Amino acid sequence: MKDAITTVLQQALARCQENGSLPADLEARIQVDHARDKQHGDFATNLALTLAKAARLKPRELAELIVANLPDSAVIEKVEIAGPGFINFYINSETQASVIGSILNQQEKFGLTEIGAGKKIQIEFVSANPTGPLHVGHGRGAAYGAAVANLLKAIGYEVHCEYYVNDAGRQMNILAASVWLRYLELCGEDFPFPVNGYKGDYVLDIAAALHRENGDKMFHSWAEISCNLPKDEPEGDKERYIDAVIEKMKALLHPDQYSLVFDVGLNYILDDIRDDLEHFGVVYDQWFSERSLTDSGDVTLALERLQKSGHCYEKDGAIWFRSSEFGDEKDRVLVRDNGQSTYFSSDIAYHMNKLERGYDRVIDIWGADHHGYVPRVKAALQALGDDPEKLDVLLVQFAVLYRNGKKIPMSTRSGQFVTLRHLRKEIGSDAARFFYVMRKCEQHMDFDLDLAMSQSNENPMYYIQYAHARVCSVFSQLADKGFEFDQGHGLAHVDLLTETHENDLITRLTRYPEVIGKAGQQYEPHQLVHYLRDLANAFHTYYNAHHFIVDDKKIRDARLCLITAARHVIANGLKLLGVSAPEKM
RNA sequence: GCGCCUGUAGCUCAGUUGGAUAGAGUACCUGGCUACGAACCAGGCGGUCGGGCGUUCGAAUCGCUCCAGGCGCGCCA
């Protein structure tokens, strides 16, 4: 509809230029908005205001000129000039009401568009280290990423969702060591657990599984392990201590045994994460292993390309990438003096790999604490000769949990956190998914557990779901009262829907495809949340103002068509957010 | 110290890329169920848009500056 108005405005300008009333070199960027106020019609344009200076006319005079040259249109009821020079358009009611037929025909397909047709997007989100279960902070990234992916699919993009598995590196070694030490405890050893080890209960579970399968085969006495170890905190350095424990573990265990412990831990946690996300309604097309980048040679290849193009140098025994040449604060290490490549190297290889797979756009969703990382990744892409503009990094601020009005401290390492699984079980997947995407991603979020767990109607999700359930309820009442719904008959009489509340609801419905388009292109699912609330509000208001099951068959069927259309749109929108649309509550 | 994010009603948040009188929810107050679900509806109260200066027909939105809060500044991942 917006496009239709843009088109007639273009035609009007062209006419003015042809007949000489406007300069021929005038260039216009036509902007058509929804009128904020019903008094201002359905759509409005500020064209006359933006163009006044270039046209050397007063805004209102220019507006009159444009309106006088507007071509006839079947959809426009009337046009008005208002305020300082806004042009307001009123759409005729038949055109508006035709959306009901469209919705009833397309049903779950209504709202889908082809904006991104033929384009491929890769989107990576969550990607938490597999060193423990997901916590509520990851939940926000999961809910947000999945909603963005759904929106992008809805507007025609081919979307590929990925979870990057950090299955290499120091953190994983610390996990392996933690598992092994717990295993030794099960073998009967008694010793102080490292300050820097993973202390969560899940580590005990993994160790127990390991012990069940392997008995005491990997046992070594604490006396053997602890000789020549540096001091742990508080007397010593906890980082150096845990590294020494890992080294000792590698020295004492056969390499196969070490990787067994490592893999048991990794797979246990990955299975857990996968299961958790699946119950959260989040599914991936691919779980991309960091180790596979080393195995495939991609890491080496990326390093070579950076070196050959002259963006690297050696200093203090390490290989550095001159990222400061591309806007980063300082240069970064690619290969450490001990010969190990850094996490950054893998990440460069991963992003190179993504772009080489031919995506038009690559989206990363990271926790906001990683924001300092963005410039160096873009720098690397630029140095590799790729287009850094193809990468969008969306930063999700952390959700801070509150209980009894108090902030809950969280740390993965200490094992002190509220897990996503716990949240899901307390308040349900629907409420959690909805709550997470209610706010803009860059907005800090206070997640009040008491409120969320209270299942009160303060959660607007219930308001929206209730609208859906109410429509369903009307139809069960209809049957109880011995009426039948004739959709074709109703559609033939939608011109009878002339009540203000009906027009408001219809207008709201017509905007749905546009909302999806905008929310998708801007990666902002919260726009859909707000739309759905407004839509539900229009429905509830209508519900309270008029009865649907009336004796007049024409009006009854027409109204039933309208509320069915509303039900479809609510269900479609909630589905994109990963929230169910129950028929009863 | 430098960089990024945030600051809008008592509280939680929107604000259509610079437009018309800044909006919702919640809290509080007043009304509405013997016809489709009151998890609802109607009305009221509530604002120096963190402060200041600037850009212009026009600023919550853009620029500069200050204030407050969060996060980040490793040969960790």
Side-chain angles (χ1 to χ4, degrees), chain A residues 118-122 158 160 162 350-362 386 390:
Chain A
K119 291 199 177 145
K120 290 163 66 180
I121 293 186
Q122 190 268 4
E158 189 183 321
H160 187 80
E162 262 173 61
Y350 183 35
H351 284 85
M352 181 183 81
N353 174 297
K354 289 186 190 185
L355 287 176
E356 280 179 356
R357 278 185 267 159
Y359 293 106
D360 297 285
R361 189 151 286 277
V362 166
D386 289 313
K390 282 188 176 173

Side-chain angles (χ1 to χ4, degrees), chain A residues 200-238:
Chain A
D201 291 343
Y202 60 93
V203 179
L204 298 173
D205 296 341
I206 300 168
L210 194 67
H211 191 249
R212 264 199 309 279
E213 300 282 320
N214 299 277
D216 288 356
K217 263 190 281 180
M218 288 175 282
F219 177 76
H220 287 270
S221 73
W222 181 245
E224 195 182 355
I225 297 164
S226 60
C227 74
N228 292 327
L229 281 186
K231 290 252 185 272
D232 198 1
E233 268 187 9
E235 300 90 37
D237 181 337
K238 63 176 180 180

Side-chain angles (χ1 to χ4, degrees), chain A residues 49-96:
Chain A
L49 283 85
T50 57
L51 233 52
K53 194 174 267 182
R56 289 192 214 99
L57 283 170
K58 286 180 186 167
R60 285 197 71 110
E61 287 174 12
L62 178 57
E64 280 171 35
L65 186 64
I66 292 170
V67 171
N69 283 282
L70 279 175
D72 288 332
S73 163
V75 301
I76 296 171
E77 176 94 17
K78 66 170 171 170
V79 181
E80 279 178 359
I81 297 169
F86 290 102
I87 303 172
N88 295 332
F89 294 87
Y90 294 74
I91 304 301
N92 70 38
S93 52
E94 292 115 70
T95 306
Q96 293 282 76

